[in-house]
Amino acid sequence: MKLLRRYLPILEWGRTYDRNALTNDLVAAVIVTIMLIPQSLAYALLAGLPPEAGIYASIVPILLYAVFGTSRALAVGPVAVVSLLTASAVGQVAAQGTAGYAVAALTLAGLSGGFLMILGVLRLGFLANFLSHPVIAGFITASGLLIATSQLKHIFGIKAGGENLLEMVLSLFEHLGQTNLITLVIGVCATAFLFWVRKGLKPLLRRIGFGPRLADMITKVGPVAAVVVTTALVSTLHLDESGVSIVGAVPQSLPPFTLPDFSLDLVSQLALPAILISIIGFVESISVAETLAAKKRQRINPDQELIGLGAANLGAAFTGGYPVTGGFARSVVNFDAGAETPAAGAFTAVGLAIAAVALTPLVYFLPKATLAATIVVAVLSLVDFSILKKTWTYSRSDFAAVITTILLTLGLGVEIGVASGVVLSVLLHLYKTSRPHVAEVGLVPGTQHFRNVDRHKVDTNAGLLSLRIDESLYFVNARFLEDLIQNRVQEGTRIRNVVLMCSAVNEIDYSALESLEAINRRLKDMGIGLHLSEVKGPVMDKLKTSHFIDDLNGEVFLSQYRAWDQLTRFPYPVSSMDAASL
């Protein structure tokens, strides 16, 4: 039963579900449903799919996540960045508007879902940690600019294209002469209104007497007013006859059963994009889920989240959708509206199903310019250039990773941008650990503590070199330690003993072991003893499985102070047997 609860979290929270939780979940579901209807339509268009695909991708995936996910507030569905990635990936294998394009989107969702499920079952959620936050921030900032720029064509009412920022901007300038003025007015007014709703509506509501929670909820669903008003204007004034592009007919139906195409040729073309979408989607989702869970002291299981998101994407693949993940905006709205359990998501899915059957005729005259304005306002909140200043001040290597990710994403497209982000994250980690901080330490007078000789006034001994290694030792940095010790002992001709203080070393791999053996042999030939201190138990257990301890030209000390005390009193290299008798 415990194993079943691990894979089906619904069995855990479902046992304590009560009337109060039901009420809160229903209220949250109503608010999120109202918000999701125009948002789902907009993100589907961003992905290059029919608007109904956005609604379909928000029904079954949400239900499946409610069963398999661990977050009580995460709202799963189409999001801006994943929609852009979908358009980029699928656009390379099929033309927009064709059946092949829709099938490719289904296949992409299926591959992404399968990949996430495999990672979850194998408990590989930790792999997401290799994608650094600065790189993610850079990618999302660049993606936000690309998405906003890509939507300007709908606001101007022109046909423009481009895969990167330069191409998009040039294409927009080339087609500016085709601008539809009515569409432009609708798009600009809708954009201005949506920005005002974000910044000015809540203070206005508070001034006229609304409570903080009610004012916040009205602000969250305020964008629906732009949809209602612009749709009514187009319908009443027949503006579609004047060239205003509208959503048009949206099928009145529940999500259909669909079949992805897992042919070898298509899978080979979409495999890498699916992996990249999975990684980006999971990182975004887990970040939101953990942030919201922390506010209520709840726990998120990253491995089970992989399974929950995997199930959601598989659901999207077989019900007319495309890749989905946990969205920041809708999840925050869900949380603020009082959602207690994933059942709120299930109720949202029911609300969207009702909308898909009964309300879709109401969006027939919805201008695409309004949907574009919705996307622009949403994604510009993701753009954060302050990360450049922060990383420049704090870490130049992180700054280099951020600016490189931004430039590659803007200049070469989102796929290369996200791929470069993954590679940069790994390379950044390898670079930082390849040159571990190694401090020469001395004894703080009157204590048994040792500190960096460059930072503190400490006692040292000319014949004793004490080095504190502040990183685990593995193949990337093993040679660095060899060279550092070799250079240091050559500088100090009076050195008779070297002590490696290993209090921060959690792992020594085989490559590092071979380097330690080389250091030991070299120092022995030079008449210098090599000693270790404060070695952690698991590390010592591994070392004992080799011949290194037996061959060590010195001793393993329990503490650095004991090493200092003994080796300053007996300054010449001693064998392990002699040291044990001291």
Side-chain angles (χ1 to χ4, degrees), residues 110-412:
L111 292 173
S112 178
F115 179 70
L116 289 166
M117 290 285 280
I118 291 172
L119 291 182
V121 171
L122 297 179
R123 301 190 178 188
L124 298 177
F126 70 90
L127 291 176
N129 297 333
F130 285 98
L131 205 58
S132 71
H133 176 265
V135 167
I136 284 290
F139 172 72
I140 290 178
T141 292
S143 296
L145 290 175
L146 284 177
I147 292 169
T149 305
S150 72
Q151 295 307 296
L152 292 179
K153 61 185 179 183
H154 296 300
I155 292 178
F156 281 90
I158 60 180
K159 291 184 178 180
E163 295 295 325
N164 57 56
L165 185 63
L166 181 59
E167 290 179 0
M168 289 180 185
V169 172
L170 291 176
S171 182
L172 283 170
F173 276 110
E174 288 175 3
H175 295 85
L176 274 182
Q178 304 169 6
T179 299
N180 184 292
L181 293 179
I182 299 176
T183 299
L184 181 61
V185 170
I186 292 173
V188 170
C189 290
T191 303
F193 173 76
L194 292 173
F195 272 119
W196 175 79
V197 166
R198 279 180 172 254
K199 300 293 184 180
L201 180 57
K202 186 175 180 179
L204 176 64
L205 293 173
R206 295 287 289 121
R207 283 198 299 270
I208 62 179
F210 284 81
R213 185 173 181 182
L214 180 58
D216 189 58
M217 292 302 101
I218 294 175
T219 301
K220 298 295 185 184
V221 300
V224 176
V227 172
V228 173
V229 171
T230 56
T231 301
L233 282 174
V234 172
S235 175
T236 304
L237 302 178
H238 304 290
L239 297 180
D240 55 311
E241 297 176 2
S242 300
V244 175
S245 181
I246 59 176
V247 169
V250 178
Q252 287 181 264
S253 68
L254 293 173
F257 176 73
T258 52
L259 285 174
D261 178 9
F262 291 116
S263 63
L264 186 60
D265 181 54
L266 186 58
V267 168
S268 63
Q269 295 180 73
L270 295 177
L272 181 58
I275 292 173
L276 296 177
I277 286 173
S278 300
I279 294 172
I280 291 294
F282 175 64
V283 170
E284 179 178 353
S285 179
I286 198 70
S287 299
V288 176
E290 289 182 339
T291 299
L292 297 179
K295 294 183 178 181
K296 290 190 175 182
R297 298 186 179 183
Q298 296 168 348
R299 178 176 174 273
I300 299 297
N301 184 332
D303 295 322
Q304 186 59 34
E305 282 299 289
L306 284 166
I307 293 175
L309 291 174
N313 276 279
L314 288 174
F318 290 95
T319 55
Y322 66 98
V324 298
T325 192
F328 178 78
R330 68 171 66 98
S331 297
V332 171
V333 171
N334 197 36
F335 180 86
D336 290 344
E340 294 279 347
T341 72
F347 297 143
T348 299
V350 173
L352 288 171
I354 294 172
V357 172
L359 302 181
T360 49
L362 300 179
V363 300
Y364 181 91
F365 289 103
L366 173 59
K368 288 185 178 180
T370 302
L371 294 180
T374 302
I375 295 173
V376 169
V377 174
V379 299
L380 286 183
S381 65
L382 303 176
V383 176
D384 178 21
F385 284 113
S386 68
I387 191 68
L388 293 173
K389 181 180 179 181
K390 293 174 183 175
T391 53
W392 175 263
T393 303
Y394 189 78
S395 169
R396 297 298 167 85
S397 59
D398 282 330
F399 171 81
V402 172
I403 193 66
T404 301
T405 302
I406 290 176
L407 293 177
L408 286 176
T409 303
L410 293 177
L412 300 178

Side-chain angles (χ1 to χ4, degrees), residues 472-484:
S472 291
L473 298 175
Y474 69 121
F475 67 95
V476 172
N477 58 28
R479 185 57 187 268
F480 174 82
L481 183 63
E482 279 190 61
D483 296 339
L484 184 146

